[in-house]
Amino acid sequence: MVKVWQKLFFDGRLVATDNVNPDFVMLAQAYGFEAFSCDNIRDLPAAVERFVNAKGPILADFRTVPDICLPMVAPGKGLQEMFLPGSITFDDEVMPEMTGDAPS
């Protein structure tokens, strides 16, 4: 969310928002946990089934598409001026799919 605010309201000046997560699947496996990643919608039903039916500790890394979280109120604006779904986009950028970026 911070990255979105910086792009929308602070002329795209990005500061300290390019977070990179560790490989949580490998980390969990190093500790002996069952772990897997799901990075596309076709595999989602099977991944959820595997996760909820696990018999022991498990970590599921579900990758999501970064998006703008709405409704949103810009800095210094009132609630009556909030952005609602469909009212704001990144026109100059196609939102990346399944990048694995840390939540922002």
Side-chain angles (χ1 to χ4, degrees), residues 23-38:
D23 186 332
F24 289 113
V25 171
M26 288 185 69
L27 184 61
Q29 290 170 342
Y31 283 96
F33 287 67
E34 178 183 354
F36 66 94
S37 181
C38 180

Side-chain angles (χ1 to χ4, degrees), residues 1-2 12 15-17 19 25 27 31 34 42 44 47 57 61-62 64 68 71 75-76 88-89 91 94 98:
M1 191 163 102
V2 171
V15 178
T17 55
N19 301 322
V25 171
L27 184 61
Y31 283 96
E34 178 183 354
R42 292 179 311 278
L44 187 59
D61 181 12
F62 292 100
T64 60
I68 300 172
I88 190 168
T89 60
D91 292 329
V94 175
M98 307 300 177

Side-chain angles (χ1 to χ4, degrees), residues 6-64:
Q6 290 174 348
K7 283 185 170 196
L8 293 174
F9 307 122
F10 299 98
D11 298 322
R13 294 185 307 270
L14 302 180
V15 178
T17 55
D18 285 330
N19 301 322
V20 178
N21 283 327
D23 186 332
F24 289 113
V25 171
M26 288 185 69
L27 184 61
Q29 290 170 342
Y31 283 96
F33 287 67
E34 178 183 354
F36 66 94
S37 181
C38 180
D39 64 1
N40 67 77
I41 199 163
R42 292 179 311 278
D43 297 338
L44 187 59
V48 170
E49 184 76 17
R50 178 178 174 186
F51 182 74
V52 299
N53 290 316
K55 300 297 181 207
I58 188 168
L59 179 132
D61 181 12
F62 292 100
R63 300 297 174 107
T64 60

Side-chain angles (χ1 to χ4, degrees), residues 77-82:
K77 302 292 182 179
L79 291 178
Q80 71 279 11
E81 300 172 274
M82 76 174 57

